[in-house]
Amino acid sequence: MMTIRAANGCSSVLRSPPPPPLRALRRLCFCSRAGTPRASSLAAAAAALRCERTSSGHGGGGARRYCVHSLVESVIEEIRESRRRRHTCSASRMALTSSGELLEDKLVNRALQKGLLLEFKKDSEKVLLAVTQRPDGKKNWMVSDQNGVTSSIKPQQITFIVPGVENFDQKEISDFLQRAEDNLDPTLLEFAWVELLEKNKSVTAEELAEMIFGSSEPLESYCAHLFLSKDEIYFTVLEAKGSRRIYGPRPAAQVEEQMRRKLAREAAEKEIEEFVQLLTSAKLMPFPAKPRKSSWLTEEKIRKKIESLECYAIDACKNDEQRKLAGVILKAMGLTKTASSAMNLLVDIGYFPVHVNLDLLKLNIPTVHSDELISAAEILLSQSVDIDETERKDLTDLKVYAIDVDEADELDDALSATRLLDGRIKVWIHVADPARFVRPGSIVDREAMKRGTSIFLPTATYPMFPEKLAMEGMSLKQGEVCNAVSVSVVLHSDGSIAEFAVDNSIIKPTYMLTYESASELIHLNLEEEIELKILSEAAALRLRWRRQQGAIDTATLETRIKVPDPDEPEPEIKLYVEDQADPAMRLVSEMMILCGEVIASYGSQNNIPLPYRGQPQSNIDVSAFSHLPEGPVRSSALVRIMRAAEFDFGKPIRHGILGIPGYVQFTSPIRRYMDLLAHYQLKAFLQGESLPFSAGQLEGIASTVNMNARLAKKICNTSLRYWILEFLRRQPKEKKYHALILRFIKDRIAALLLVEVGLQASAWVSLGKDIGDEIVVRVEESHPRDDFLSLKEVI
């Protein structure tokens, strides 16, 4: 006879020798002919089998092996008669169908009454034992559980009613549970499965107790219930009604598969346990000693787990399996299953820096250029030919000022000016010429289009073009001859445009100035820098003229932050607050607007499709805001009612905010792809070639580029705010700040502008204060990761 046994994770085929002497099993199983059980039949058989396995496992000469089936069969034959004598009425209760299935009367639930011992589901993962106390409404019952807690439960929460129990004492539940746990030997379930599978029989908890313990008393029945309810290998639920269950043995092949899955699950749990040990160890290390990020990515098993946590932290799990894995790890670490828990864990182990920018990860913003793109850029630098070389206008005799922030990596624009013999002012806006290197549709162009813009963060700059190409080839450089597209403009005395021209050119930038140094030079009014004075005069003329055309002044405070070492736990924060009404900032702003107006006029005159930008504001009555102080307070009120910008790709549209008939962004082609599109179109026209894009094509490109630009702007604003809050968090608690009241949000809660840091926030202000007033506040709390700032007025 052959039998198959699935145990310990594998399947083995054992040939059955003659059964062992029945006297030995009888001595193990029974203490009297009357059939009173002294020890469990199958428990004894299990013990015998374990001994037999031990003696035969080493291949001794006289060792004898007995298969599971023959051993169990001998025991079963011996106890069968005893069962019939002791339970003469069990035949009617346990009647079988012709196929061996139990009848429906086994599913009859016991009526609830006071003093019953039952098991119920506290929640999806927790099961408790309790004693019934009294009804609670029509169906619910009040119970006292093993922890001494009294609560109301629904009938559907009950998973088992321990049979044969009346008036159970709640204080004895713990002892009952302990004795039940002591009786649980998984080997017994395997024996029962073998017998029931061969006989094709199903079983209830009480019947299993009788089979393996020789008794269906309360303790044994509950033990059998625990076996069946926790089992994932040998048995499955065939029928259920209320708290009653009928179980059937799984087929041998299914048991083998369940065993395989269990082993795989246990191996995975062991991996999790080892990974948790790694995480715990890394958390306890001091910051400099923590493992580098790369060390978590070398081994496949560890990399998979750490990446699941990273994706969970940024809400970017690729599938349910990855999300579940991260949840398992967080639970094993004793953490809640939230993105912030995952993020904090990755910070604690050193995988993320303390000040990690999650938006960069969430939005999948590219922060490096591929090797292929860098190679293509280097080829452009070394082999590119300037097809405009012979047509470029030589403007190297002009004094050229490049004015930008002190940390600017690449320079897009520069300025020149002179006074004509008739007294009119002529200015030049020189713009870098990246289209001299890059052609539409090339690999470098496609990547620039995909990015849409350079991203300038307090912690880093992520350029639209590969850095070497942008810095060495495209950027304007002091004291060197540079290729440019120069827009020259002659102004009328009222600031309007008298004449203009657009040319490919070569220039030689004279000065690279910061806004601060340029403002100082303007203030000093040096004779040797007369050109800068003329530029300042031209800017003033233009501002006055635009205001006469309905331009709305929105100058306010602008904050810049540089963080040189962002990966450090407490990096240095360099904060600058600049007034957009500053002379140098006004000068540069006016010249950029002038250039945009000229390009729009040039495109209109020559029917060139361009990204014409407009902003209709015909419904704004500026005089209605004249009672507000000029500057940030009035600007804030005006900006809140402005309409979004609009585009037309065939003809200029009025830009009401700027007070000009048309506008094209043109002065930042190294940083903004929309500016580069305008360069492609104008340079093709200047070269006499067909234009690379129609109006429709421009519109299609612009929709994608503008979407990416909006994402970049959001990241910049969020990052800037984070570092301002971090700056405030580090300041002494007693430090005071000046704040302008911009508007009232509700009652006495006002929107404020913190002057020293250029940040908008809100706080309660005292009675008597009004919009435009300046108050003094103190920072109560600042939590950059939660974007939380609490201010209190100092009265």
Side-chain angles (χ1 to χ4, degrees):
M1 179 178 70
M2 302 289 287
T3 183
I4 295 179
R5 176 173 62 87
N8 300 322
C10 61
S11 159
S12 59
V13 180
L14 305 178
R15 187 173 302 278
S16 302
L22 197 57
R23 290 189 302 277
L25 292 178
R26 184 183 298 113
R27 180 169 53 83
L28 284 170
C29 300
F30 298 95
C31 65
S32 73
R33 293 176 63 97
T36 303
R38 191 188 78 174
S40 158
S41 323
L42 291 182
L49 179 62
R50 281 195 292 271
C51 292
E52 190 66 28
R53 283 173 175 167
T54 302
S55 64
S56 63
H58 304 285
R64 299 177 61 193
R65 301 183 62 195
Y66 301 99
C67 78
V68 173
H69 175 76
S70 60
L71 189 59
V72 173
E73 188 68 24
S74 300
V75 175
I76 297 304
E77 290 296 330
E78 183 69 29
I79 67 173
R80 190 165 287 145
E81 183 61 30
S82 173
R83 286 180 180 167
R84 283 196 290 268
R85 288 198 303 269
R86 293 171 57 245
H87 301 285
T88 56
C89 63
S90 64
S92 61
R93 292 200 317 270
M94 300 174 60
L96 300 176
T97 64
S98 58
S99 62
E101 293 300 314
L102 295 170
L103 294 175
E104 287 189 359
D105 60 353
K106 294 188 179 183
L107 291 174
V108 174
N109 286 278
R110 184 176 178 184
L112 291 179
Q113 62 186 50
K114 182 179 179 180
L116 295 184
L117 180 64
L118 56 78
E119 182 188 81
F120 73 98
K121 276 190 175 182
K122 179 71 174 176
D123 52 45
S124 60
E125 298 181 355
K126 196 170 186 179
V127 176
L128 298 175
L129 269 183
V131 176
T132 53
Q133 300 295 334
R134 65 183 184 278
D136 182 33
K138 292 183 178 180
K139 296 183 179 180
N140 296 354
W141 270 78
M142 299 298 295
V143 299
S144 296
D145 64 34
Q146 62 201 58
N147 300 318
V149 177
T150 300
S151 58
S152 176
I153 65 170
K154 300 176 181 179
Q156 54 265 39
Q157 288 179 257
I158 300 172
T159 53
F160 188 68
I161 299 175
V162 179
V165 172
E166 294 182 0
N167 300 319
F168 196 87
D169 187 347
Q170 182 270 336
K171 296 177 182 178
E172 296 181 3
I173 296 179
S174 296
D175 179 64
F176 184 87
L177 274 172
Q178 185 59 56
R179 287 190 292 141
E181 290 293 334
D182 293 343
N183 272 353
L184 297 181
D185 181 353
T187 312
L188 301 178
L189 199 63
E190 181 184 346
F191 280 103
W193 168 74
V194 171
E195 178 187 355
L196 292 169
L197 180 64
E198 180 174 339
K199 302 298 184 183
N200 192 26
K201 291 182 179 179
S202 54
V203 69
T204 63
E206 293 91 327
E207 291 167 355
L208 183 67
E210 184 69 38
M211 177 182 294
I212 63 179
F213 296 115
S215 168
S216 58
E217 293 299 310
L219 180 65
E220 286 76 11
S221 293
Y222 185 62
C223 289
H225 163 71
L226 290 178
F227 272 135
L228 293 168
S229 61
K230 294 181 179 181
D231 172 57
E232 298 177 352
I233 305 297
Y234 299 105
F235 290 88
T236 185
V237 176
L238 297 179
E239 293 186 70
K241 185 176 181 182
S243 62
R244 301 288 294 168
R245 302 284 188 276
I246 295 176
Y247 297 86
R250 296 179 189 269
Q254 196 175 108
V255 167
E256 184 176 355
E257 175 61 19
Q258 292 295 104
M259 275 290 193
R260 186 193 64 77
R261 292 180 182 178
K262 181 182 179 183
L263 287 175
R265 187 167 59 251
E266 289 173 349
E269 289 171 355
K270 185 178 180 181
E271 281 187 16
I272 293 294
E273 183 180 343
E274 292 172 350
F275 184 65
V276 165
Q277 291 175 354
L278 286 176
L279 295 176
T280 304
S281 175
K283 282 183 67 175
L284 296 175
M285 293 179 181
F287 178 78
K290 290 184 185 294
R292 293 182 177 273
K293 180 176 181 178
S294 57
S295 67
W296 295 95
L297 304 175
T298 52
E299 188 178 335
E300 173 66 20
K301 290 180 179 179
I302 295 177
R303 182 183 62 79
K304 181 179 178 182
K305 295 176 181 61
I306 206 77
E307 285 182 350
S308 74
L309 287 173
E310 180 175 356
C311 290
Y312 201 91
I314 62 175
D315 196 23
C317 289
K318 300 178 178 66
N319 48 54
D320 289 340
E321 180 183 356
Q322 191 176 55
R323 186 178 294 103
K324 183 179 179 182
L325 175 59
V328 168
I329 295 169
L330 291 172
K331 182 179 179 182
M333 290 294 293
L335 302 172
T336 56
K337 296 179 184 179
T338 62
S340 60
S341 292
M343 188 275 294
N344 290 330
L345 175 59
L346 292 172
V347 168
D348 289 342
I349 66 172
Y351 183 82
F352 277 168
V354 173
H355 302 287
V356 58
N357 190 328
L358 293 179
D359 285 335
L360 284 177
L361 301 174
K362 288 179 179 179
L363 299 174
N364 198 27
I365 301 298
T367 56
V368 296
H369 289 93
S370 67
D371 292 340
E372 181 186 14
L373 197 76
I374 292 172
S375 297
E378 290 178 347
I379 291 172
L380 289 177
L381 277 172
S382 61
Q383 300 180 8
S384 180
V385 177
D386 180 16
I387 61 175
D388 300 312
E389 184 176 5
T390 58
E391 302 298 326
R392 290 189 183 275
K393 182 175 286 190
D394 188 345
L395 301 177
T396 54
D397 59 323
L398 293 175
K399 184 180 284 189
V400 178
Y401 298 89
I403 305 172
D404 210 329
V405 294
D406 57 357
E407 68 271 8
D409 295 318
E410 69 265 354
L411 292 172
D412 291 279
D413 52 73
L415 306 170
S416 300
T418 190
R419 193 179 301 278
L420 302 178
L421 294 177
D422 60 6
R424 292 184 301 173
I425 293 175
K426 182 176 184 179
V427 299
W428 286 264
I429 302 98
H430 311 289
V431 184
D433 187 10
R436 170 250 190 274
F437 293 97
V438 184
R439 298 288 182 268
S442 66
I443 181 175
V444 176
D445 170 73
R446 292 196 304 272
E447 179 63 21
M449 182 192 300
K450 179 181 177 183
R451 293 174 180 243
T453 180
S454 295
I455 298 178
F456 300 94
L457 302 180
T459 53
T461 296
Y462 304 110
M464 186 170 74
F465 289 112
E467 185 175 359
K468 189 174 181 180
L469 177 61
M471 292 291 294
E472 296 184 15
M474 299 175 176
S475 178
L476 303 179
K477 293 177 282 292
Q478 183 178 4
E480 296 184 22
V481 175
C482 304
N483 294 324
V485 177
S486 294
V487 175
S488 58
V489 190
V490 177
L491 299 176
H492 287 301
S493 59
D494 65 352
S496 61
I497 297 173
E499 55 186 82
F500 61 81
V502 180
D503 299 287
N504 289 307
S505 65
I506 54 172
I507 61 171
K508 192 174 183 180
T510 313
Y511 295 116
M512 298 298 205
L513 302 175
T514 64
Y515 287 112
E516 293 84 354
S517 59
S519 290
E520 186 177 352
L521 283 175
I522 293 170
H523 178 72
L524 291 173
N525 195 21
L526 300 175
E527 188 63 32
E528 58 268 30
E529 301 300 336
I530 187 64
E531 294 86 354
L532 189 60
K533 181 180 179 181
I534 295 172
L535 278 170
S536 182
E537 183 181 339
L541 288 175
R542 284 293 298 170
L543 177 60
R544 184 166 59 248
W545 180 83
R546 288 194 306 106
R547 284 177 173 172
Q548 291 171 354
Q549 310 308 308
I552 298 173
D553 188 5
T554 58
T556 186
L557 300 182
E558 184 175 82
T559 307
R560 288 190 298 109
I561 285 183
K562 289 300 291 182
V563 184
D565 301 301
D567 288 346
E568 293 295 319
E570 291 282 325
E572 179 187 5
I573 301 175
K574 299 178 180 180
L575 185 144
Y576 313 89
V577 178
E578 296 162 338
D579 188 348
Q580 292 176 341
D582 172 85
M585 296 195 81
R586 283 281 197 196
L587 187 159
V588 172
S589 177
E590 287 300 328
M591 293 303 102
M592 300 304 105
I593 294 171
L594 175 60
C595 181
E597 182 183 352
V598 168
I599 295 299
S601 298
Y602 189 83
S604 178
Q605 289 178 5
N606 296 285
N607 297 315
I608 303 173
L610 292 169
Y612 298 101
R613 187 183 182 100
Q615 200 164 19
Q617 295 297 336
S618 57
N619 60 335
I620 293 182
D621 181 8
V622 179
S623 63
F625 300 88
S626 59
H627 65 287
L628 298 175
E630 190 173 2
V633 176
R634 187 184 296 178
S635 296
S636 173
L638 289 167
V639 167
R640 292 185 69 236
I641 62 172
M642 287 180 181
R643 291 165 56 186
E646 299 176 0
F647 280 92
D648 192 298
F649 300 92
K651 62 183 185 302
I653 52 177
R654 176 172 172 75
H655 201 300
I657 298 297
L658 300 180
I660 54 180
Y663 180 68
V664 174
Q665 287 186 319
F666 191 77
T667 57
S668 297
I670 305 177
R671 308 178 187 185
R672 293 190 304 238
Y673 191 80
M674 291 297 288
D675 297 46
L676 183 62
L677 280 177
H679 276 247
Y680 284 152
Q681 296 290 89
L682 257 70
K683 285 185 66 68
F685 179 81
L686 291 172
Q687 293 161 3
E689 298 178 356
S690 59
L691 302 181
F693 304 109
S694 65
Q697 289 172 321
L698 285 176
E699 184 174 3
I701 295 170
S703 64
T704 300
V705 171
N706 286 333
M707 180 178 67
N708 292 336
R710 285 191 293 271
L711 285 178
K713 185 177 181 180
K714 176 185 176 183
I715 289 173
C716 293
N717 291 341
T718 303
S719 181
L720 180 64
R721 181 175 175 85
Y722 175 93
W723 285 105
I724 294 175
L725 294 182
E726 175 64 14
F727 177 85
L728 292 173
R729 184 187 69 82
R730 300 186 191 178
Q731 304 310 303
K733 291 293 184 183
E734 64 275 8
K735 185 171 181 178
K736 299 174 183 178
Y737 302 87
H738 296 89
L740 292 171
I741 300 178
L742 301 177
R743 67 183 186 279
F744 285 96
I745 301 170
K746 183 180 180 182
D747 298 328
R748 301 306 298 174
I749 299 176
L752 307 175
L753 176 64
L754 297 184
V755 176
E756 286 86 352
V757 295
L759 178 72
Q760 289 197 25
S762 62
W764 184 93
V765 299
S766 56
L767 291 171
K769 302 296 183 182
D770 205 352
I771 295 175
D773 289 346
E774 184 177 284
I775 62 173
V776 177
V777 297
R778 183 185 294 119
V779 175
E780 294 283 289
E781 290 183 80
S782 180
H783 302 291
R785 185 61 68 189
D786 300 322
D787 191 24
F788 177 79
L789 178 65
S790 175
L791 302 175
K792 185 176 182 180
E793 182 183 9
V794 178
I795 302 175

